[in-house]
Amino acid sequence: MPPPKDVVKIAIQMVGAIPQLIELQQTKPLASVLKDVCDAWSLPNAEHYALQYADGRQTYITESNRGEIKNGSILRLTTSPDQEAERLYNGIRSNNVDVKTDSLKKLASLSQDVTFAQEFINRNGLKLIFCIVEEGNDSGEILAHTLKAFMELMEHDFVSWETLSAAFIKKIVSYVNMNAMDASVQQLSLSILENMVPSSRLLFDLVKKEVTVDRLLTHLQVTNAQLQLKAMALLIALLLAATDSERRDMMEYLREKNIRQFIHKNIIHSPEPLGDEMAHYLYVLQSVSLNLYDRRMRTSMDPYSQEQRELLQSLRQAAFESESEAPTSNFSTERRRSLCAKEFRKLGFTNNSNPAEDLRRAPPGLLALDNMLYFSRHTPNAYSRFVLENSSREDKHECPFARSSIQLTLILCEILHIGEPCSETAQAFYPMFFGQDHFFEELFCICIQLVNKTWKEMRATQEDFDKVLQVVREQITRTLSLKPTSLELFKTRVNALNYSEILKLRQTERLHQEETLAVPVLELRERLKPELLELIRQQRLLRLCEGTLFRKISSRRRQDKLWYCRLSPNHKVLHYGDVEEGVQSPPIESLTEKIPVADMKALLIGKECPHTKEKSSGKQNKDVLELAFSIVYDVEEYCLNFVAPTRYEFCLWTDGLNVLLGKEMTSERMQTDLDVLLSMELKLRLLDIENISIPDTPPPVPKPPSNLNFCYDFSHAEHPRARRAPRARSRSWRRTGRRCASTSASSWAPRLCTPWSTWSSSTPPPPHGPGSPSSSAAWSTAPATAP
């Protein structure tokens, strides 16, 4: 009979006592439970004790969270939160340095619990912490524990950040600005300031004034990864809390200080792996930088603005400089206007007389004009070539520069999420963003030339404009998904992804989607998988039976001796032994050492292997880690250590050993082999239904026939003209048998097995199935050959 839902079986520990195994009734008051536990250990004053989890985060058990206790939980009897808070409060005030240090260390640990934190704050414990910081008499370990405890206490939001005194804040700022200061103290100080900045405008102004951007850049350039991370966190907090104008000024200052190049070189490409938190901060920095274009993106062009009209004219003059050099003073106003309209038409504006109307749509607004100007000024040769090349084409085949630029700018804004708020959890940033100033403009210059290239590859006309831009969007998106590290690499890859490649990818994905998403195909795939997995297992074991030549690795990582290992044909014993150079496949009798498969306990891979735990450096050590595996065997846990000659052999051996141990194969080669076999088998099974749509649900089963008396009895005498009929019918059956076999027997059998005596010699029998050749042609030869 299962136990009641409101009763959990737990263990309770106490130092120096035998643990108690009790059934905790959740309906019983916690004070009564504590009383029973204390009585069992003969402890007086049960109100001075509390229960907390013994493992993980040691949270106190209260009436509000006791419902989270599960069967098998291990709790510990300890001092109650109020008693512990009082004890630590007095310990922090002690003049004994050791007592004070231990109390602050314990406070930093227990402050994570909300119950204890409330008890300590109620005793005015924060004021005690403020005094330690403001007086500035302590440093090093004591100060680090104090700041850690303060951070944990403030996390519970019992006290507002705005209540902090100016002296406390100034002291925290001084820790950040000091050169000779303990790194742990600076990390905690940066975290405190980071939490202060979003709390109020007053605190933001204070931190921004006291902690300069130059100081944060200094912290970013240290080798301490945690200090670097906290400095980046504070910088991001300042950027997010700033106004648009302040953010623009800060980003301009960071650009002058080459912060992007530093991040690209020393953070993104550092030897240490990039953590999730740093990746998020880099994403936010990228997003904040790109969102600076939002204002121009949402600003429409003013046709009455003289400045903006001059920018348009400069765009035209840069494209038709030689023609514009001709003196136009002698031209009439109407002639000059007609000439300008013709040139704006060649530039690809749809409204030739007033091209400003093309830029009235926002987004992309004035950002499209900015991009066109940047392209014309920084790559004048490419700009002139684009415009003049398309001016010489037929009207319907020319690629409109202005129209393409406007649409491309909008596409890039959508892909890069310009104008969208930052996600709180995203980590997707582009490494090439931090390696290039004017990233957005440079990306536009590459992509607008891609538009022209794709336009020519598609042999597009004006009616195909949207199709071309859709292909360009796909080219850009697919290339960005590869996370190129530089714009040069992006340019190379996006140009290699031409229109024909896009068509191949689309077709492959469409076929893959049609094949893999159909419910019957998925069911067939699952049915085939066990059989093919067994086939792979057999192949792995056969490969182990053939054996492999391994090299021994000495402590200096030099390859000096050879040894051979192979599995016995009955799969019960591993044979191994040293061999001489040049021996490829020694007989199993020459391998003197043996390991029974029954004694094998586990398979270790990579860093888990005992022979890879020796410290070394360089590429050789990395290669050894990728190819190393060990077999743990026998009661004393001996190890047989391997270093595979290739990654392929590593996969085969680890898979084969896992099969011998009764475990699943986990190598990447197994998945590759399984995918290849599944794909091939599925194609063979589905060969006969090519170009036939697969329904999501199976067709209904036809009704059974009214009678089953349609089987022909060959024992009866037949008409002479019918003697050849069975052979003719068998030829027709061979031609259509495969297709007929895939249909319902009950629906086709009556037609296939109708007695010959029931057919007229002048009437051919019915065809064998849909799509098969008419059977009358096969039967028409029977009368001619009859005697």
Side-chain angles (χ1 to χ4, degrees):
M1 183 176 180
K5 292 183 179 181
D6 56 354
V7 176
V8 289
K9 295 182 178 181
I10 60 172
I12 301 179
Q13 297 176 340
M14 189 180 72
V15 178
I18 299 175
Q20 298 184 37
L21 301 176
I22 67 170
E23 291 186 353
L24 175 62
Q25 297 182 4
Q26 295 287 27
T27 57
K28 188 176 182 179
L30 196 57
S32 301
V33 174
L34 284 170
K35 182 71 168 59
D36 295 341
V37 173
C38 291
D39 289 345
W41 278 322
S42 303
L43 297 175
N45 302 322
E47 64 275 8
H48 293 167
Y49 294 93
L51 295 174
Q52 65 178 180
Y53 289 103
D55 301 324
R57 190 171 180 178
Q58 299 171 0
T59 307
Y60 282 99
I61 305 298
T62 62
E63 291 289 355
S64 59
N65 65 13
R66 63 184 296 178
E68 300 173 5
I69 302 175
K70 306 297 182 184
N71 276 315
S73 298
I74 302 176
L75 306 182
R76 179 172 56 200
L77 186 69
T78 185
T79 311
S80 63
D82 57 336
Q83 294 291 317
E84 192 67 26
E86 184 68 27
R87 186 181 71 81
L88 293 181
Y89 183 84
N90 294 328
I92 294 171
R93 298 173 64 186
S94 173
N95 294 326
N96 189 316
V97 177
D98 293 336
V99 174
K100 185 176 183 179
T101 303
D102 292 341
S103 299
L104 286 169
K105 185 177 181 179
K106 188 71 178 292
L107 175 65
S109 174
L110 289 178
S111 295
Q112 300 178 22
D113 184 80
V114 63
T115 307
F116 172 83
Q118 191 168 19
E119 291 290 344
F120 187 79
I121 291 174
N122 290 341
R123 284 167 172 72
N124 212 7
L126 277 176
K127 185 177 180 181
L128 196 59
I129 291 179
F130 292 155
C131 292
I132 295 175
V133 176
E134 291 172 6
E135 290 174 0
N137 297 327
D138 297 301
S139 60
E141 188 178 5
I142 291 180
L143 184 58
H145 291 321
T146 303
L147 296 179
K148 175 66 175 174
F150 171 76
M151 280 290 299
E152 296 295 344
L153 291 170
M154 294 297 290
E155 284 290 331
H156 301 294
D157 292 331
F158 292 134
V159 180
S160 172
W161 288 91
E162 299 180 32
T163 60
L164 301 180
S165 65
F168 180 84
I169 297 174
K170 187 172 293 186
K171 207 69 179 176
I172 297 297
V173 169
S174 69
Y175 298 149
V176 173
N177 291 331
M178 283 183 184
N179 291 325
M181 174 56 64
D182 186 79
S184 60
V185 173
Q186 286 190 325
Q187 292 173 30
L188 291 164
S189 300
L190 287 167
S191 294
I192 292 172
L193 295 179
E194 177 201 351
N195 284 275
M196 287 169 50
V197 165
S199 301
S200 70
R201 180 66 193 184
L202 182 63
L203 290 175
F204 165 78
D205 292 334
L206 181 60
V207 174
K208 184 175 180 293
K209 178 182 178 182
E210 297 294 337
V211 182
T212 62
V213 176
D214 285 332
R215 187 60 192 167
L216 291 178
L217 294 180
T218 302
H219 286 305
L220 277 175
Q221 297 176 18
V222 300
T223 55
N224 188 321
Q226 284 300 312
L227 187 58
Q228 201 177 56
L229 180 65
K230 298 303 179 184
M232 179 66 77
L234 179 55
L235 177 62
I236 295 300
L238 289 170
L239 285 171
L240 293 178
T243 61
D244 290 342
S245 59
E246 291 172 337
R247 189 179 300 121
R248 194 173 297 275
D249 293 340
M250 290 177 66
M251 292 304 302
E252 179 63 26
Y253 186 77
L254 291 174
R255 189 186 67 80
E256 294 175 0
K257 293 293 183 179
N258 293 327
I259 183 64
R260 285 187 183 178
Q261 286 81 354
F262 173 79
I263 292 174
H264 189 263
K265 180 180 179 181
N266 298 306
I267 296 181
I268 296 177
H269 293 288
S270 67
E272 298 295 327
L274 198 66
D276 293 343
E277 198 171 355
M278 180 61 81
H280 172 68
Y281 292 143
L282 294 181
Y283 154 77
V284 175
L285 184 59
Q286 171 187 285
S287 181
V288 169
S289 302
L290 292 174
N291 280 344
L292 296 178
Y293 294 100
D294 183 62
R295 185 179 64 177
R296 296 288 287 179
M297 182 184 72
R298 301 189 185 280
T299 303
S300 300
M301 184 168 182
D302 183 4
Y304 302 103
S305 170
Q306 183 64 25
E307 179 185 358
Q308 295 176 12
R309 293 174 65 181
E310 289 176 356
L311 292 176
L312 266 180
Q313 291 298 330
S314 67
L315 191 66
R316 177 185 64 82
Q317 292 169 2
F320 308 101
E321 184 177 357
S322 59
E323 299 178 20
S324 300
E325 287 177 355
T328 58
S329 57
N330 297 330
F331 291 170
S332 64
T333 304
E334 189 66 29
R335 177 75 182 277
R336 288 198 300 271
R337 188 176 300 170
S338 174
L339 181 61
C340 290
K342 180 181 178 182
E343 291 177 346
F344 276 123
R345 185 188 64 77
K346 290 182 179 180
L347 273 177
F349 286 94
T350 56
N351 194 324
N352 305 329
S353 59
N354 188 9
E357 290 296 325
D358 288 17
L359 297 167
R360 294 290 296 272
R361 185 180 61 164
L366 291 176
L367 187 57
L369 178 60
D370 295 341
N371 283 337
M372 288 188 283
L373 288 169
Y374 186 91
F375 181 54
S376 66
R377 292 170 181 174
H378 290 79
T379 55
N381 293 333
Y383 173 65
S384 300
R385 185 166 56 252
F386 188 112
V387 176
L388 296 178
E389 180 183 329
N390 286 283
S391 299
S392 61
R393 295 179 186 171
E394 298 179 17
D395 288 347
K396 63 177 183 177
H397 286 287
E398 62 184 9
C399 178
F401 170 74
R403 185 184 175 191
S404 300
S405 298
I406 294 170
Q407 188 63 28
L408 176 62
T409 302
L410 181 61
I411 289 173
L412 291 178
C413 290
E414 292 173 353
I415 292 175
L416 298 176
H417 306 287
I418 294 178
E420 299 180 13
C422 299
S423 168
E424 295 182 358
T425 57
Q427 302 171 8
F429 68 93
Y430 300 111
M432 64 179 180
F433 170 81
F434 296 95
Q436 178 71 49
D437 286 332
H438 306 290
F439 166 78
F440 186 77
E441 293 86 350
E442 291 290 338
L443 182 64
F444 172 84
C445 293
I446 295 173
C447 294
I448 191 62
Q449 296 177 73
L450 176 68
V451 172
N452 190 36
K453 175 176 175 289
T454 305
W455 186 282
K456 290 187 290 185
E457 291 172 352
M458 295 178 65
R459 299 179 181 178
T461 62
Q462 295 294 331
E463 290 78 11
D464 301 322
F465 180 82
D466 292 335
K467 294 180 181 178
V468 174
L469 269 295
Q470 185 179 4
V471 172
V472 170
R473 176 194 285 269
E474 190 171 346
Q475 290 171 317
I476 297 171
T477 306
R478 288 181 182 273
T479 307
L480 287 177
S481 65
L482 301 175
K483 296 294 182 69
T485 54
S486 66
L487 276 174
E488 286 300 322
L489 187 57
F490 171 84
K491 182 178 180 180
T492 303
R493 289 182 174 178
V494 80
N495 284 317
L497 192 63
N498 52 35
Y499 178 57
S500 60
E501 290 295 325
I502 290 291
L503 290 181
K504 290 178 183 177
L505 289 171
R506 286 179 175 178
Q507 184 178 8
T508 302
E509 291 172 356
R510 183 173 63 252
L511 292 174
H512 180 72
Q513 185 177 14
E514 290 175 356
E515 288 181 3
T516 57
L517 295 184
V519 176
V521 176
L522 291 176
E523 293 178 356
L524 177 59
R525 185 184 180 91
E526 291 302 316
R527 287 189 181 185
L528 293 174
K529 189 178 292 185
E531 178 183 348
L532 297 179
L533 280 174
E534 182 60 31
L535 183 63
I536 295 175
R537 291 190 192 98
Q538 294 175 11
Q539 187 270 340
R540 298 297 194 257
L541 293 177
L542 288 174
R543 186 66 185 83
L544 265 60
C545 290
E546 292 179 8
T548 303
L549 190 67
F550 297 95
R551 287 189 178 272
K552 289 185 177 181
I553 306 298
S554 67
S555 59
R556 295 183 180 180
R557 301 299 186 203
R558 290 186 304 184
Q559 301 179 354
D560 43 22
K561 292 186 178 180
L562 298 174
W563 64 289
Y564 202 87
C565 185
R566 67 191 304 173
L567 181 66
S568 63
N570 60 4
H571 303 166
K572 292 185 177 181
V573 180
L574 271 177
H575 298 262
Y576 66 96
D578 295 341
V579 295
E580 298 296 331
E581 187 79 33
V583 177
Q584 295 298 328
S585 182
I588 198 169
E589 297 81 9
S590 65
L591 304 177
T592 57
E593 304 292 335
K594 300 178 182 179
I595 300 177
V597 172
D599 291 344
M600 290 168 49
K601 288 187 173 183
L603 174 67
L604 305 179
I605 296 175
K607 294 181 180 179
E608 300 174 352
C609 301
H611 62 303
T612 62
K613 293 183 179 179
E614 303 173 10
K615 293 185 178 180
S616 182
S617 59
K619 183 177 183 295
Q620 186 180 11
N621 184 48
K622 182 180 178 182
D623 294 341
V624 170
L625 285 177
E626 291 179 351
L627 301 176
F629 61 98
S630 301
I631 301 173
V632 181
Y633 65 96
D634 213 339
V635 291
E636 298 185 13
E637 295 192 354
Y638 293 107
C639 286
L640 181 61
N641 301 320
F642 297 77
V643 177
T646 63
R647 187 68 186 177
Y648 176 72
E649 291 289 344
F650 173 85
C651 294
L652 295 184
W653 271 86
T654 52
D655 283 344
L657 293 173
N658 276 321
V659 172
L660 293 176
L661 291 169
K663 297 180 180 179
E664 294 184 358
M665 299 176 290
T666 57
S667 74
E668 65 269 18
R669 185 71 193 184
M670 183 279 300
Q671 191 60 48
T672 302
D673 291 348
L674 180 61
D675 291 340
V676 170
L677 291 173
L678 274 174
S679 177
M680 182 172 60
E681 189 68 21
L682 281 173
K683 288 177 181 178
L684 289 174
R685 297 290 183 99
L686 302 177
L687 193 61
D688 287 339
I689 58 172
E690 188 176 359
N691 298 325
I692 298 177
S693 59
I694 303 175
D696 292 334
T697 56
V701 179
K703 295 180 180 180
S706 57
N707 63 78
L708 301 176
N709 299 326
F710 49 79
C711 189
Y712 178 66
D713 186 0
F714 285 93
S715 60
H716 296 170
E718 295 184 352
H719 191 277
R721 298 174 66 89
R723 290 177 183 173
R724 195 172 177 85
R727 284 161 50 188
R729 184 169 57 184
S730 66
R731 287 200 301 270
S732 181
W733 169 256
R734 283 197 298 269
R735 280 183 291 180
T736 59
R738 178 185 290 270
R739 191 176 303 279
C740 295
S742 62
T743 57
S744 172
S746 60
S747 59
W748 290 102
R751 285 185 282 176
L752 293 175
C753 303
T754 306
W756 168 247
S757 57
T758 61
W759 289 337
S760 170
S761 61
S762 61
T763 304
H768 286 251
S772 63
S774 175
S775 57
S776 59
W779 283 88
S780 61
T781 60
T785 57

